[in-house]
C-alpha cells in the first residue's frame, strides 16, 4: 500500500546522482518574495534551473475571482527573478507562477501585500462539535472559540450526532445543520470546522492511490458538506471490488456516485477526529484534549517554535509523480531554503523542534516507512 504521511504540511529529497530531472525538488517552483518599498516594487526570486526553458506569470488582485487567460509576464530560459513595479501600497496581489521544463511543468501560487491592513474580520465559521465530546471538552471548546474570535472569526457553535460507522441518515442530518446555517447567514458563513466523530460521507468509484481493484470504491468525502448546491447522486455506481467493505458503493446505500466534485465548493471545510486510533494509549477524548491544548498554545505563542521545517522524502520521484514537489512549493511561502532541513524525521524529531515536518513513503494504517 502507498501512503503519504502528512505531519503537518509538505516534502523533499536529493537523488544521489543529483540529476535535476529526477530530483523532486526541481519539480517544484520554490520562490521567495521581497518588497522594495523604496522603489515600490515586488521582487519574486528563484534559483536558476537549467532544465527550465521558460517562465510564465499571471497576476490578479486578491479580490478578483480568476486570473484570466492572459499571462502578466513571460520570461526566457535563464531567468531567476521577476520584478513587478506596477504595485500599490496597501493592496494585495496573487501571482500564479509556472516553470516550463519541456516535458513537465512546476507551479506555485503566492499572495503578496505591501503595508496591507491587518485582517480583523474573517467571516463566520460554524464550529460543529460531535455531541458526545462536547461536555467532556466544554472548557477547551470555549477556549477554542475565544481564540478563534480573537483571530477575527465570528463563531457559531452547533452539535451534530456521533457516527462511528457509516450512517447515511446522520450524514444527511449533519448536512442539514450546515444548510440551515448557510441559508441563515449566506453572506457571512465562510467555513465549517468538524470536531469529533461526526458522520463521514463517502463518494465515488475510484482508487485515488492507484491500487485497483483492492482500493477501488467510495472514499471519505467531507467536501460534500462544503458543497451547497451541487448535485450528488446515489443511483448508478455499483462497486464491491475493494478489500474494505466500507468502500463498497451500491445504488441507494447513501454513498454517492460522484468521483468528482459536481460544482464549486461554497465553504471551507476541516475535520479534527481522533476516533479509532488504537496505536495510541490515550482515549479519543484525551487525544482531542491534547490537540486543543496544543492548538491554544500555538495560537497564543505559549509554545515557541523556530521558523523552520524538515522534510523526509522516501518516495523520491516514484516514476514521475514527484510527491515531494508540493512540499518545496508550499514551504517557499514560509521559509528560505536555509531553514529547511532534510533527513529522517524518525530520528531527528526527538532531538530537535520544528514548526513543520513532512514525510512520505509506503506504509499501512498505523505506519509509514520513514
Amino acid at each position: 500500500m502507498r501512503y503519504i504521511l502528512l505531519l503537518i504540511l509538505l516534502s523533499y529529497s536529493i537523488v544521489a546522482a543529483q540529476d535535476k530531472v529526477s530530483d523532486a525538488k526541481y519539480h517544484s517552483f520554490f520562490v521567495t518574495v521581497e518588497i522594495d518599498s523604496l522603489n515600490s516594487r515586488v521582487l519574486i526570486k528563484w534559483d536558476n534551473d537549467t532544465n527550465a526553458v521558460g517562465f510564465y506569470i499571471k497576476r490578479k488582485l486578491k479580490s478578483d475571482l480568476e486570473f484570466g487567460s492572459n499571462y502578466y509576464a513571460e520570461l526566457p530560459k535563464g531567468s531567476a527573478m521577476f520584478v513587478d513595479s506596477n504595485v500599490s501600497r496597501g493592496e494585495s496581489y496573487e501571482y500564479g507562477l509556472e516553470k516550463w521544463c519541456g516535458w513537465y511543468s512546476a507551479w506555485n501560487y503566492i499572495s503578496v501585500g505591501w503595508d496591507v491592513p491587518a485582517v480583523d474580520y474573517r467571516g463566520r465559521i460554524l464550529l460543529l462539535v460531535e455531541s458526545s465530546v462536547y461536555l467532556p471538552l466544554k472548557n477547551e471548546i470555549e477556549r477554542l472559540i475565544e481564540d478563534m474570535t480573537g483571530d477575527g472569526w465570528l463563531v457559531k457553535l452547533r452539535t451534530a450526532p456521533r457516527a462511528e460507522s457509516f450512517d447515511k441518515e446522520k450524514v444527511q442530518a449533519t448536512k442539514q445543520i450546515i444548510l440551515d446555517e448557510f441559508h441563515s447567514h449566506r453572506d457571512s458563513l465562510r467555513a465549517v470546522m468538524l470536531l469529533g466523530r461526526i458522520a463521514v460521507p463517502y463518494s465515488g468509484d475510484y482508487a485515488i492511490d492507484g491500487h485497483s481493484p483492492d482500493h477501488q470504491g467510495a472514499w471519505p468525502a467531507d467536501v460534500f458538506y462544503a458543497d451547497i448546491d451541487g448535485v450528488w447522486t446515489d443511483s448508478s455506481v455499483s462497486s464491491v471490488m475493494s478489500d474494505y467493505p466500507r468502500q463498497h458503493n451500491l445504488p441507494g446505500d447513501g454513498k454517492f456516485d460522484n468521483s468528482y466534485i459536481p460544482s464549486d465548493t461554497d465553504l471551507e471545510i476541516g475535520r479534527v477526529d481522533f476516533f479509532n486510533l488504537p496505536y495510541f494509549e490515550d482515549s479519543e477524548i484525551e487525544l482531542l484534549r491534547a490537540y486543543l491544548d496544543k492548538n491554544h498554545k500555538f495560537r497564543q505563542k505559549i509554545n515557541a517554535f523556530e521558523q523552520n521545517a524538515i522534510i523526509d522524502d522516501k518516495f523520491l520521484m516514484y516514476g514521475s509523480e514527484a510527491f515531494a514537489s508540493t512540499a518545496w512549493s508550499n514551504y517557499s511561502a514560509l521559509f528560505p531554503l536555509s531553514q529547511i532541513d532534510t533527513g529522517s524525521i524518525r530520528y531527528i524529531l526527538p532531538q530537535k523542534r520544528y514548526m513543520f515536518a513532512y514525510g512520505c513513503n509506503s506504509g499501512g494504517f498505523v505506519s509509514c516507512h520513514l
Side-chain angles (χ1 to χ4, degrees):
M1 291 186 290
R2 188 181 78 208
Y3 292 92
I4 294 179
L5 175 63
L6 196 62
L7 300 178
I8 286 195
L9 262 181
L10 327 158
S11 154
Y12 156 64
S13 137
I14 294 288
V15 175
Q18 292 296 304
D19 179 357
K20 290 184 177 181
V21 174
S22 61
D23 183 344
K25 174 181 177 181
Y26 292 95
H27 287 248
S28 71
F29 199 170
F30 195 104
V31 302
T32 58
V33 178
E34 295 179 11
I35 303 295
D36 180 1
S37 57
L38 183 63
N39 297 296
S40 302
R41 303 185 303 175
V42 169
L43 283 64
I44 303 174
K45 300 179 180 181
W46 55 89
D47 288 343
N48 182 29
D49 183 352
T50 56
N51 290 311
V53 296
F55 303 87
Y56 303 91
I57 299 173
K58 291 187 175 184
R59 192 193 83 161
K60 71 178 186 66
L61 293 175
K62 188 173 182 179
S63 56
D64 293 339
L65 296 179
E66 297 180 352
F67 281 103
S69 57
N70 296 324
Y71 289 114
Y72 184 65
E74 300 182 35
L75 283 73
K77 178 182 176 69
S79 300
M81 181 172 66
F82 170 67
V83 179
D84 189 357
S85 299
N86 185 25
V87 295
S88 300
R89 181 181 233 124
E91 190 64 79
S92 291
Y93 303 91
E94 292 184 354
Y95 295 87
L97 310 160
E98 179 183 0
K99 177 177 67 174
W100 173 238
C101 298
W103 61 275
Y104 70 91
S105 285
W107 293 269
N108 205 340
Y109 296 88
I110 58 174
S111 180
V112 179
W114 170 29
D115 281 353
V116 176
V119 176
D120 55 14
Y121 176 64
R122 302 180 186 277
R124 183 181 295 266
I125 184 171
L126 173 61
L127 177 58
L128 200 51
V129 179
E130 186 263 292
S131 55
S132 74
V133 306
Y134 174 68
L135 286 179
L137 297 171
K138 187 173 183 292
N139 291 337
E140 288 82 1
I141 291 169
E142 290 177 351
R143 184 184 61 194
L144 173 64
I145 293 172
E146 291 179 358
D147 287 340
M148 296 169 79
T149 301
D151 197 30
W153 290 99
L154 182 61
V155 186
K156 177 62 178 293
L157 173 66
R158 296 278 304 266
T159 59
R162 183 176 182 83
E164 296 188 0
S165 58
F166 178 74
D167 188 315
K168 63 180 181 180
E169 283 80 17
K170 291 180 179 179
V171 167
Q172 292 298 334
T174 301
K175 181 63 173 283
Q176 190 59 53
I177 294 171
I178 296 170
L179 288 173
D180 291 344
E181 290 297 324
F182 179 83
H183 292 306
S184 297
H185 307 284
R186 182 184 296 269
D187 296 330
S188 59
L189 185 63
R190 174 180 160 187
V192 177
M193 178 178 176
L194 309 174
L195 182 64
R197 191 57 181 179
I198 292 170
V200 179
Y202 276 73
S203 189
D205 181 21
Y206 64 112
I208 190 64
D209 59 359
H211 290 278
S212 182
D214 49 326
H215 292 177
Q216 180 83 24
W219 287 72
D222 277 346
V223 69
F224 168 69
Y225 292 142
D227 182 13
I228 298 300
D229 51 13
V231 178
W232 296 75
T233 60
D234 181 21
S235 59
S236 60
V237 169
S238 182
S239 176
V240 293
M241 292 185 292
S242 174
D243 293 342
Y244 306 99
R246 64 178 176 274
Q247 285 197 280
H248 295 175
N249 193 352
L250 297 169
D253 65 354
K255 298 175 184 176
F256 302 108
D257 303 321
N258 310 63
S259 292
Y260 299 92
I261 305 170
S263 69
D264 292 342
T265 54
D266 304 281
L267 299 168
E268 300 166 16
I269 188 81
R271 175 187 289 265
V272 179
D273 183 356
F274 290 94
F275 170 72
N276 195 25
L277 296 178
Y279 182 85
F280 297 98
E281 294 181 359
D282 289 338
S283 67
E284 177 186 354
I285 292 293
E286 291 310 312
L287 290 172
L288 282 167
R289 193 189 314 279
Y291 167 83
L292 293 170
D293 286 343
K294 188 173 183 179
N295 182 296
H296 171 70
K297 291 176 181 178
F298 182 82
R299 289 175 183 268
Q300 299 295 330
K301 208 175 181 180
I302 297 171
N303 284 348
F305 291 89
E306 295 182 27
Q307 297 291 314
N308 60 0
I310 184 171
I311 305 165
D312 186 357
D313 174 24
K314 295 297 197 304
F315 268 136
L316 305 179
M317 286 300 299
Y318 203 86
S320 61
E321 295 187 63
F323 300 117
S325 63
T326 58
W328 286 104
S329 293
N330 282 293
Y331 273 159
S332 71
L334 302 170
F335 314 107
L337 281 171
S338 60
Q339 291 168 218
I340 302 175
D341 292 341
T342 61
S344 172
I345 60 177
R346 179 178 182 181
Y347 298 106
I348 296 176
L349 285 182
Q351 304 172 35
K352 184 177 178 180
R353 293 165 64 91
Y354 288 89
M355 181 171 286
F356 295 104
Y358 171 90
C360 63
N361 199 6
S362 58
F365 288 113
V366 298
S367 64
C368 184
H369 300 151
L370 296 173

